Amino acid sequence: MSHNESLFERAQRSTPGGVNSPVRAFRSVGGTPRFITRAEGPYFWDADGKRYIDYIGSWGPAIVGHAHPDVIKAVQAAAANGLSFGAPTEGEILMAEEICKLVPSIEMVRLVSSGTEAAMSALRLARGVTGRDKVIKFEGCYHGHADSMLVKAGSGLLTFGNPTSSGVPADFAKHTIVLDYNDCAQLEDAFSKMGEQIAAVIVEPVAGNMNLLRSTPEFLQTMRRLCTQHGAVLMFDEVMSGFRVALGGAQSLYGVQPDMTVLGKVIGGGLPVAAFGGRADMMKHLAPLGPVYQAGTLSGNPVAVAAGMSTLKIIQQPGFYENLGTQTRKLVDGLSVTAKEIGVAFSADAIGGMFGIYFSERVPENYAQIMAGNKERFNQFFHAMLDAGVYLAPSAFEAGFVSAMHNDAVIDETISAARGAFAKLNS
Ligand SMILES: *Cc1c(COP(=O)(O)O)cnc(C)c1O
């Protein structure tokens, strides 16, 4: 039995499914999860000592590469001064100022510890600000696991949402309206029927939790117009896309300003930091200034903030995003050309340091097209790549992430591994 297998067996005795977050269990692709012992730059190593080129980067945070010396040094220096105080620090001010500078739609920001917490708190704030209950989300977008977000569309358009998780009361789910991503007509319809009840529209402006899916510019523009017209809060969940598709997030690429933004992943640089922020007039409804309650023992934790700040400094170095975008593009173009040579139906897309691979002839434009992709082929490809030392997201419905440390040699090695993996699919 390999070390990974025996660790997995042991883990399952003390932890449900052997993991602390479900996608890690490899249920969707099958096989044994790899237990990671250490990581450096573009690589990590498992309990059996096997090295992988890592394309999940902790699901986004590792944008500067694993164990970057500057980040490690910042964390060590902060830790030496004490781990947590439950009182404010100057580091939190610096972090807030940096976020407001990099994302101009954010005038004020609050730091929390996870993307789930940030989205949940931002939605409460939107409801508090508007005095309304209903929220619009889109099928396939993920906003963390707060009750009101674990909801799928009801039986018909604009009917009450249904819980997607056991334990979510139908009475909570009924306030969430679930629409199709990139469908402007549905949005128009929803606002014309119940515009005065809608507190917020929450969206991943570049979606990454149903594989990578770009929004159309019209989709975001329509949302912006309708929210303004009807007094609803436009909320961009940029937990994944923030500092990932561009320094200013997806909102800088599309030129659409949300009222509020949710951040996470990259801003913690690998430690638990997330944030929500936006218009000052809205943020001032938060406790202790206003009536919307929100709090956290470890919010703005000094060690986590040090990791985040040092990461935010590195990504502002000249050429950082040019390089990241070039390497990511090299990867997806190389994969596409190779698949074509071998005769595998395949497509790929990339924005900044984020990519999607699809076992379909064309890059999908909506949720239905994503779901129609060949999942069986993805699973075979995933395992062939894993065997060859390339760790892709263990699900056909997750985006991939490149770091600044994925240099030409690393991309070339990935593409030659893919050549073998594609060939296996055809044999
Ligand atoms: C990861 C993610 C979340 C949840 O963040 P956690 O830190 O895992 O709670 C929310 N929204 C989006 C878009 C995400 O990608």
Side-chain angles (χ1 to χ4, degrees):
M1 199 190 277
S2 74
H3 290 293
N4 288 309
E5 284 164 342
S6 63
L7 286 171
F8 191 41
E9 210 178 86
R10 217 175 100 203
Q12 285 171 284
R13 279 180 243 136
S14 54
T15 299
V19 293
N20 286 306
S21 197
V23 72
R24 299 179 196 169
F26 275 30
R27 289 274 168 122
S28 151
V29 292
T32 307
R34 303 306 193 256
F35 283 71
I36 305 306
T37 52
R38 72 185 179 93
E40 191 181 327
Y43 305 115
F44 58 37
W45 285 261
D46 73 9
D48 289 301
K50 186 177 164 89
R51 188 198 81 176
Y52 301 89
I53 298 175
D54 173 21
Y55 285 105
I56 63 170
S58 184
W59 298 99
I63 196 166
V64 301
H66 289 290
H68 190 290
D70 293 359
V71 180
I72 299 302
K73 212 184 294 168
V75 166
Q76 286 171 338
N81 286 330
L83 298 182
S84 178
F85 315 124
T89 60
E90 188 182 5
E92 293 159 86
I93 309 174
L94 297 174
M95 180 107 192
E97 287 172 350
E98 200 73 5
I99 291 170
C100 294
K101 182 188 87 183
L102 295 174
V103 186
S105 70
I106 301 182
E107 295 170 345
M108 295 183 94
V109 65
R110 177 151 289 172
L111 302 183
V112 295
S113 302
S114 76
T116 292
E117 195 190 349
M120 176 190 80
S121 307
L123 287 167
R124 181 183 306 137
L125 178 59
R127 285 169 161 151
V129 165
T130 58
R132 303 170 178 178
D133 288 339
K134 294 207 181 312
V135 167
I136 291 178
K137 82 176 283 282
F138 301 93
E139 186 97 49
C141 285
Y142 180 65
H143 305 293
H145 58 86
D147 284 335
S148 72
M149 291 292 100
L150 294 181
V151 175
K152 64 176 189 292
S155 51
L157 176 62
L158 308 190
T159 55
F160 299 148
N162 295 323
T164 54
S165 164
S166 168
V168 174
D171 275 347
F172 293 1
K174 76 180 186 191
H175 296 299
T176 307
I177 300 158
V178 183
L179 303 180
D180 287 330
Y181 199 83
N182 277 341
D183 190 329
C184 297
Q186 277 190 7
L187 259 176
E188 299 270 10
D189 197 28
F191 271 96
S192 77
K193 296 205 167 87
M194 51 180 89
E196 78 294 342
Q197 299 172 56
I198 295 167
V201 175
I202 183 167
V203 67
E204 290 180 70
V206 167
N209 287 286
M210 47 176 148
N211 207 330
L212 171 61
L213 180 62
R214 289 170 187 261
S215 64
T216 62
E218 306 76 64
F219 183 52
L220 298 184
Q221 285 156 10
T222 302
M223 227 175 265
R224 176 65 280 175
R225 174 172 52 76
L226 290 169
C227 283
T228 304
Q229 252 170 35
H230 294 270
V233 175
L234 178 58
M235 191 178 295
F236 280 3
D237 181 346
E238 298 225 45
V239 169
M240 190 179 277
S241 57
F243 312 108
R244 171 53 70 178
V245 299
L247 183 59
Q251 54 195 272
S252 71
L253 295 178
Y254 283 85
V256 175
Q257 281 229 344
D259 302 304
M260 302 213 357
T261 300
V262 186
L263 295 169
K265 297 195 168 108
V266 170
I267 60 165
L271 286 183
V273 184
F276 62 103
R279 282 168 45 179
D281 61 323
M282 292 180 176
M283 292 302 287
K284 285 180 179 167
H285 284 71
L286 271 185
L289 290 183
V292 178
Y293 192 69
Q294 185 278 331
T297 301
L298 292 179
S299 291
N301 173 272
V303 182
V305 162
M309 268 308 279
S310 125
T311 301
L312 292 184
K313 290 290 179 213
I314 298 167
I315 63 177
Q316 290 178 70
Q317 288 167 1
F320 183 91
Y321 283 92
E322 286 77 359
N323 170 59
L324 187 68
T326 303
Q327 296 308 101
T328 311
R329 187 39 71 185
K330 264 186 211 159
L331 172 72
V332 297
D333 288 350
L335 291 174
S336 300
V337 167
T338 308
K340 192 156 193 191
E341 282 167 16
I342 295 176
V344 173
F346 177 89
S347 55
D349 196 10
I351 312 181
M354 185 170 164
F355 67 92
I357 58 175
Y358 320 92
F359 285 87
S360 58
E361 290 287 353
R362 276 205 230 114
V363 172
E365 290 167 7
N366 58 42
Y367 181 71
Q369 288 175 13
I370 295 230
M371 297 314 282
N374 193 329
K375 184 169 170 275
E376 208 36 60
R377 290 218 128 185
F378 171 82
N379 289 353
Q380 288 170 2
F381 182 73
F382 168 82
H383 277 292
M385 291 296 272
L386 196 67
D387 288 346
V390 178
Y391 194 108
L392 298 168
S395 158
F397 305 113
E398 300 286 350
F401 304 98
V402 168
S403 84
M405 302 303 280
H406 287 69
N407 61 20
D408 285 348
V410 170
I411 302 291
D412 288 348
E413 188 182 332
T414 306
I415 290 167
S416 61
R419 181 173 297 279
F422 284 132
K424 272 195 197 155
L425 297 181
N426 271 357
S427 64

